[in-house]
Amino acid sequence: MSSKHLLVGNWKMNLGPKQGSSYARQLRESITALSRTDVWVAPPFASLPIVASELKGSLINVGAQNVHWTESGAFTGETAPSFLTELGATFSLTGHSERRTYFGETSEQVAQRTVAAINAGLTAIACIGETEAERSAGTTEKILETQLNPILSSVAKESVAKLVLAYEPVWAIGTGKVASLDDIRGAHQFIQKVWSAHNLPGTATILYGGSVNPTNFAEILALKEVHGALVGGASIKLDQWMELIRISEATAV
Ligand code: PGA
């Protein structure tokens, strides 16, 4: 686990090359020092080259929103891990709920993508989380375990430092409904339990995601089980994103 909070902005399908590069330039100018926060941004693929070039040599890392599990081949629309490292990307999300829900990605594919990213030298941020129906049915833990097992059983023990987990309850993503502090704490503790059950070294680095904004972030980050956040909506508005960074800088690690 890092000695800093990890704040990751998932731009989703927003900020194309023109807007993305201008946003990145402003972000670079706004962030001149960080002591308690690692700031990472994941632009859409089309914006990645220009954003990576704008942020080269800055305090901000750039990554992708998804990555394929092979190095080349007939996989229309996909991106190989080495294409990302060539652009200067240092990480990739895997298994975001929008990939699972709208594009049918399975937990096995998510595990393959995660391992391939790590093998290429990227940090993989593997996302897991239950739907509202699953939470109401009392199956949250079962779902988290089912999503985690293929990932945790395929990442090599010596590579786990390159794995970050993001707990994102699907019903909290982009809805303005944030999970309660008890729900977040409980889910993160359960994820650590599954981590230990896989005999992995140390503890998992776990981000919370789902409607994080400047109003709710301080109390979420104050939970010792939470190591940072994966942020969608509030990461594409510079004032809100800078406010989240300020809160992180003001919160003890
Ligand atoms: P949100 O998205 O912050 O807009 O809820 C989070 C995510 O999908 O990673």
Side-chain angles (χ1 to χ4, degrees), residues 7 74 151 183 205 240 253:
L7 201 47
I151 299 167
D183 288 347
T205 298
Q240 292 194 21
V253 182

Side-chain angles (χ1 to χ4, degrees), residues 136-156:
S136 310
T139 55
T140 298
E141 293 192 345
K142 189 169 149 272
I143 294 297
L144 295 180
E145 193 168 12
T146 308
Q147 293 176 345
L148 277 170
N149 280 341
I151 299 167
L152 298 186
S153 54
S154 35
V155 172

Side-chain angles (χ1 to χ4, degrees), residues 26-93:
Q26 293 174 65
L27 190 60
R28 181 185 186 133
E29 285 161 7
S30 311
I31 301 180
T32 48
L34 291 170
S35 54
R36 288 172 165 169
T37 318
D38 287 322
V39 177
W40 297 4
V41 295
F45 282 126
S47 306
L48 216 152
I50 194 156
V51 169
S53 118
E54 285 290 349
L55 295 179
K56 199 165 178 214
S58 76
L59 293 170
I60 306 145
N61 280 5
V62 181
Q65 297 172 13
N66 204 4
V67 60
H68 198 254
W69 54 82
T70 54
E71 264 315 319
S72 62
F75 297 103
T76 302
E78 290 284 337
T79 306
S82 66
F83 301 171
L84 298 178
T85 53
E86 209 177 299
L87 288 172
T90 60
F91 74 95
S92 179
L93 306 184

Side-chain angles (χ1 to χ4, degrees), residues 211-224:
S211 295
V212 169
N213 63 41
T215 314
N216 58 34
F217 187 43
E219 57 180 14
I220 294 172
L221 194 61
L223 295 175
K224 67 174 188 327

Side-chain angles (χ1 to χ4, degrees), residues 5 179-186 188 206 208 217-228 251-253:
H5 305 128
S180 73
L181 297 179
D182 278 347
D183 288 347
I184 297 173
R185 186 189 293 112
H188 284 221
I206 314 174
Y208 169 77
F217 187 43
E219 57 180 14
I220 294 172
L221 194 61
L223 295 175
K224 67 174 188 327
E225 291 82 4
V226 174
H227 306 126
T251 305
V253 182

Side-chain angles (χ1 to χ4, degrees), residues 10 12 96 98 168 172-175 209-212 230-234:
N10 172 13
K12 308 194 179 185
H96 189 278
E98 286 147 21
E168 297 203 304
I173 295 178
T175 57
S211 295
V212 169
L230 178 55
V231 185

